[in-house]
Amino acid sequence: MVHSTEALGVGTQVSAYLNDTYLEQVDTRVIAVGEKGGTPWAAVGHCLFHPQGGGQPADRGWLEDTEIIPVRDRESGLVVATVPGGGSLPPLAEGQKVRARIDLRARTAHAALHTAGHLVEAVGRMQGWEMVASNHFPGQARIEFQAPRTDTRLADPEGREEVTAVLRAAVAAAVADDLPVFARCPADGRRVVHLDELHSAPCGGTHVRSLGDLAEVALPTLKVKKGRIRVSYSATHVPGTATRLSYAAPHVPGTATHRSH
């Protein structure tokens, strides 16, 4: 049951998690409430929560003092907040002021892994490979490629280690150069993330400000299985991140926009 059909019909949600990776909390308003399968949910106008998707885990977050899990509602396109384990949200009504907050340490860890994944894709493409799959989850992060042409270097352990060393050197050079990371939305509406001029790809994930924010980027020796080249990796965010703690979202009825990426 949906308690705000108007909000779902015209779309009134801003994807704040895409606008500022480092924003920790925001004062906003509830734009819709409802339930699905007996589970209550709420959507806020300035959405701070990244839902799971695109190979990236969901943010850990809170509405007021209640811990929530954000999920993308396929019917409306909104990111909605639900409570882990089938718990209940606090009483919320459309238009009500609320404070949304995220676990910034988890957010920056996810952003570092996702950005490092783009960098691994970039250096793999330098080898003439094509990306076919990706995963940016902690402990599982990897990019999988296919080589359009036979790469004889991958046929034996020594060759695979040699190629991995080339990838590691290219990654380290880009991090040392502290290339800027930014997003643009061209005319077709897709959000494209850029690692300066090194690489670009459509993406709805969160990312660091520049490659110099990455630390402890490590690539174990690549593996080849069933024609796929698997490059696993790990990365962390540099400590001491400067944050913009909070933001009070403006409320102008009827003017906010829902942006789905």
Side-chain angles (χ1 to χ4, degrees):
M1 178 171 59
V2 173
H3 295 168
S4 178
T5 55
E6 180 182 357
L8 300 184
V10 300
T12 55
Q13 188 175 68
V14 172
S15 300
Y17 60 89
L18 294 180
N19 297 335
D20 189 345
T21 291
Y22 298 89
L23 181 61
E24 187 172 12
Q25 68 183 35
V26 62
D27 293 323
T28 183
R29 292 179 184 267
V30 176
I31 58 170
V33 295
E35 64 178 37
K36 191 170 186 177
T39 301
W41 58 260
V44 295
H46 279 67
C47 181
L48 199 59
F49 313 118
H50 185 287
Q52 180 173 319
Q56 180 173 328
D59 281 329
R60 182 185 183 211
W62 293 265
L63 274 181
E64 298 295 342
D65 295 323
T66 301
E67 185 172 354
I68 62 91
I69 295 176
V71 296
R72 175 78 67 183
D73 181 71
R74 293 184 179 181
E75 180 180 351
S76 66
L78 296 172
V79 175
V80 302
T82 62
V83 177
S88 297
L89 291 166
L92 297 171
E94 183 182 348
Q96 179 178 337
K97 292 182 179 180
V98 289
R99 174 161 293 181
R101 178 169 57 92
I102 59 166
D103 181 336
L104 190 61
R105 180 174 296 181
R107 158 67 66 81
T108 54
H110 298 164
L113 280 171
H114 204 142
T115 307
H118 282 289
L119 180 52
V120 172
E121 180 188 352
V123 299
R125 290 187 180 276
M126 291 177 184
Q127 304 302 309
W129 306 338
E130 298 175 353
M131 190 188 79
V132 293
S134 62
N135 185 330
H136 310 295
F137 273 63
Q140 306 173 36
R142 63 186 183 274
I143 307 295
E144 295 187 6
F145 300 93
Q146 286 182 336
R149 295 172 296 278
T150 301
D151 192 332
T152 57
R153 300 173 299 171
L154 306 178
D156 58 73
E158 292 79 9
R160 290 192 288 273
E161 176 58 33
E162 178 184 341
V163 177
T164 306
V166 172
L167 300 179
R168 290 174 184 143
V171 165
V175 173
D177 287 342
D178 195 16
L179 299 181
V181 180
F182 54 90
R184 289 176 175 160
C185 293
D188 62 8
R190 295 185 306 166
R191 178 177 184 260
V192 178
V193 171
H194 298 255
L195 309 183
D196 200 22
E197 297 182 357
L198 177 66
H199 178 69
S200 64
C203 184
T206 62
H207 297 279
V208 302
R209 293 163 293 201
S210 67
L211 296 185
D213 285 331
L214 299 180
E216 302 177 326
V217 183
L219 278 65
T221 303
L222 64 83
K223 298 180 180 180
V224 180
K225 187 175 182 180
K226 296 182 178 179
R228 286 196 173 190
I229 305 162
R230 175 177 289 187
V231 182
S232 298
Y233 72 94
S234 59
T236 62
H237 198 288
V238 294
T241 301
T243 65
R244 193 157 64 84
L245 177 63
S246 63
Y247 168 68
H251 177 63
V252 182
T255 62
T257 57
H258 167 57
R259 295 185 292 185
S260 178
H261 300 274

